[in-house]
Amino acid sequence: MKCESTQISDPERKRLAMANGTIEHVNITVSSPERTAAMLTHLFGWKIRWQGAAASGGRTIHVGTPNDYIAVYSPKGSDGVPLTHSKGQPLNHIGVTVDDLEGVEQRARALGLVPFNHDTYAPGRRFYLFDYDGIEWEIVCYT
């Protein structure tokens, strides 16, 4: 079952951005930008917008849509070993809206990720998963 789209028209998006601001990107530190970017493109159909050396050293990949993206960054000398942190430090989770919740869950399982905490409450259905670095993602479908 697919969820109804909650897409905002371009004129409305521009009006809201001028009035209220929108999130253009989020930058997260991961052990392997390539692995995390591959996960995001596989799960959500996002595209790599840019990749290269980070200004502060290390490597960054911008992956997302034409309007917004996640910057996945790994510091210089990173060895690909997942980083350690307590849940909620420094963030609780990253929420992503999708139209096909079941399809994303199937793709997540195919990557060896384990969806959990499935729930339905206003305004939609959702589940969560931890990525390879222990970052929690909320996948939500609004009805």
Side-chain angles (χ1 to χ4, degrees):
M1 168 176 34
K2 292 196 177 187
C3 296
E4 293 178 18
S5 175
T6 58
Q7 297 297 319
I8 299 171
S9 69
D10 284 340
E12 180 66 2
R13 182 183 316 278
K14 289 177 185 171
R15 185 192 71 75
L16 289 171
M18 295 300 287
N20 302 313
T22 60
I23 295 174
E24 190 252 350
H25 77 274
V26 174
N27 188 321
I28 58 175
T29 300
V30 298
S31 58
S32 171
E34 291 79 8
R35 180 177 61 194
T36 300
M39 178 194 81
L40 295 172
T41 59
H42 183 75
L43 290 179
F44 307 123
W46 292 348
K47 305 294 183 209
I48 292 176
R49 297 171 33 138
W50 178 85
Q51 58 184 315
S56 60
R59 180 158 171 74
T60 300
I61 300 176
H62 295 178
V63 58
T65 73
N67 296 318
D68 41 57
Y69 64 95
I70 304 284
V72 290
Y73 163 76
S74 184
K76 185 176 181 179
S78 177
D79 57 8
V81 175
L83 309 170
T84 58
H85 65 277
S86 300
K87 180 186 176 319
Q89 300 202 12
L91 75 143
N92 290 318
H93 63 259
I94 299 171
V96 178
T97 59
V98 299
D99 291 334
D100 183 5
L101 194 66
E102 290 79 10
V104 173
E105 182 171 0
Q106 289 173 357
R107 291 190 294 278
R109 290 184 186 281
L111 292 174
L113 302 171
V114 181
F116 65 93
N117 200 21
H118 296 74
D119 208 349
T120 301
Y121 53 88
R125 297 180 297 126
R126 67 203 71 238
F127 68 84
Y128 297 79
L129 59 83
F130 287 105
D131 71 11
Y132 308 111
D133 289 295
I135 297 169
E136 186 176 33
W137 297 79
E138 176 184 5
I139 317 304
V140 63
C141 183
Y142 294 115
T143 55

